[in-house]
Amino acid sequence: MKKTVGTASLTKKRLLLGITGGVAAYKAVELARLMTQVGIDVQTVMTASACRFIGPITFQSLTGNPVYTDFWETNTASSMAHIDLSRNVDAILVAPASANFIARVANGMADDLLATLCLARDCPLLLAPAMNRQMWENPATQRNLAILQGENINILGPANGEQACGEVGMGRMLEPNELIEVIQAMLQPKLLQDKNVLITAGPTYEAIDAVRGITNISSGKMGYAVARAALAAGANVTLISGPSCLTVPAVTKLVNVMSANDMLDAVKKEMSQTQTDIFISVAAVADYRAAKVSRQKIKKTDKRLTLLLEPNPDILNYVSNLPKPPFCVGFAAETENLEKNAEIKRKKKKLPLLVANLANEAIGLNESELILFDDAGKHRLLKAPKIIQAQRLIKHISESYK
Ligand code: PMT
């Protein structure tokens, strides 16, 4: 009997698994097995380089479907493999996606079967990169990734760790159990279909003078991941972001802000225009701002300089105390007594759900470990890439939100 996942069976779902050339191709075997096990009909397409690492017959045996490797394959419905294979699938996942493949897709190349069917697709495309850390960090790869993210192509990972070449760094493909979690979340019914979700992300910047300010090291990674997960769950997403250099997800609406006061104004404006169902406050909002902002650059002297600070408004507090508040989700980054402080924050801000993380293990990083606190108690989300944590969070919210 085929297994079901969560409340929804995936037995009617079809996924195209693309495999490109890389050592991580061995992980695709386990991935294909897991997907088949949960009832997904897996159609495998391999590049010529992938076939150097692993044989097509392995995937054929595991999935029960023929494996396509050749652009000139004629054994498909209309003898046009690049069209046939990209139709009637719910998503395409390329895992591993090599640096070369990422570059080809980013540039709209159609020089083999897998690249061509990605170009011809009319379904979501997910890429799980795997490569040497230098290749990952190379500006050319980062440029290609930014293009793909701007086109709403989901980039899953990579993770940090030991690599096949012996080096340590970013570039390891996510583990099959992590990838299957993303796929399951995506193929299940849309958990937040048509809900209006408002998300704050990133740091704020509180000016001191014309060129200086107070900020923090929040990158926006968590907030942007939550925005991506909410979009994938079918929500209309408004993202209010403090300064961040990340590629912005293809949200329904983006509002860029600098200070906490700007962010509060943007939140108020958005809520006056749209009926917000869920408010997720991921932003690391500065608690204080300069009491007086100098319009000119403050001159250096050899005397001490005292900066007078005054408290910023608490945006989340404002929203959760509205007469009819949306479902409010707060975040808490703590450096000590995580659980105790998080519980105190949840009660003080009257939140149905609060997400706690250790600041030094989350801020600016690609992965985090989270603890969710709600009326039912606490729920630990073991360390994982932020996009996976975001999907887990969205699932939890969809189950709590009435
Ligand atoms: O951006 P990344 O690098 O990915 O890092 C993510 C993160 C660590 C910043 C994120 O996961 C996180 O924990 N965000 C909350 C940061 C925080 O410390 O918040 P806080 O404890 O100061 O505030 C608690 C809650 O109130 C937060 O939801 C915050 O958005 C909100 N708040 C706080 C102050 C304020 N003036 N207005 C607010 O709305």
Side-chain angles (χ1 to χ4, degrees), residues 200-203 216-224 246 260 263 279-288 311-318 329-334 345 349 351 354-359 361-366 368 370 386:
T200 64
N216 60 67
I217 56 170
S218 164
S219 60
K221 285 177 184 171
M222 189 66 215
Y224 284 27
L246 299 179
M263 193 173 266
F279 176 56
I280 312 177
S281 184
V282 195
V285 185
D287 289 323
Y288 294 92
N312 265 330
D314 193 305
I315 303 164
L316 179 55
N317 228 7
Y318 163 80
V329 182
F331 268 68
E334 302 290 337
K345 252 178 208 170
K349 299 202 183 194
L351 304 173
L354 183 122
V355 183
N357 47 198
L358 276 170
E361 291 179 9
I363 200 155
L365 304 175
N366 294 317
S368 62
L370 303 176
K386 284 181 176 172

Side-chain angles (χ1 to χ4, degrees), residues 16 45 68 70-74 76-87 89 92 110 112-122:
L16 194 145
V45 175
Y68 295 92
D70 184 4
F71 187 80
W72 304 108
E73 182 64 59
T74 51
T76 56
S78 69
S79 300
M80 295 177 80
H82 65 292
I83 300 295
D84 292 338
L85 293 170
S86 65
R87 299 293 180 269
V89 289
I92 299 174
D112 70 2
L113 178 58
L114 187 56
T116 308
L117 61 88
C118 285
L119 195 62
R121 78 188 187 280
D122 61 0

Side-chain angles (χ1 to χ4, degrees), residues 262-385:
D262 294 345
M263 193 173 266
L264 176 62
D265 289 347
V267 166
K268 283 183 177 169
K269 188 167 173 202
E270 178 61 21
M271 293 187 72
S272 69
Q273 292 171 347
T274 314
Q275 162 73 45
T276 300
D277 299 303
I278 299 166
F279 176 56
I280 312 177
S281 184
V282 195
V285 185
D287 289 323
Y288 294 92
R289 65 177 186 277
K292 190 165 161 273
V293 180
S294 166
R295 290 179 61 196
Q296 307 303 332
K297 185 178 170 194
I298 299 170
K299 291 282 172 227
K300 184 174 134 185
T301 66
D302 50 8
K303 299 210 179 75
R304 279 190 168 172
L305 180 70
T306 305
L307 194 61
L308 187 66
L309 300 177
E310 63 184 17
N312 265 330
D314 193 305
I315 303 164
L316 179 55
N317 228 7
Y318 163 80
V319 177
S320 69
N321 280 292
L322 287 171
K324 282 190 185 163
F327 185 85
C328 286
V329 182
F331 268 68
E334 302 290 337
T335 50
E336 57 183 350
N337 302 324
L338 178 65
E339 300 194 14
K340 191 170 154 228
N341 289 337
E343 275 291 26
I344 293 171
K345 252 178 208 170
R346 185 171 96 88
K347 294 217 168 76
K348 200 168 156 202
K349 299 202 183 194
K350 297 193 208 149
L351 304 173
L353 179 61
L354 183 122
V355 183
N357 47 198
L358 276 170
N360 54 342
E361 291 179 9
I363 200 155
L365 304 175
N366 294 317
E367 299 183 330
S368 62
E369 179 167 334
L370 303 176
I371 309 178
L372 314 188
F373 291 88
D374 60 16
D375 288 342
K378 66 178 181 192
H379 318 264
R380 198 173 285 276
L381 303 185
L382 294 180
K383 188 171 173 183

Side-chain angles (χ1 to χ4, degrees), residues 172-187:
R172 275 176 68 90
M173 190 173 100
L174 295 190
E175 295 305 319
N177 63 329
E178 294 175 318
L179 290 172
I180 187 82
E181 203 175 322
V182 177
I183 295 299
Q184 285 174 330
M186 206 185 89
L187 296 183

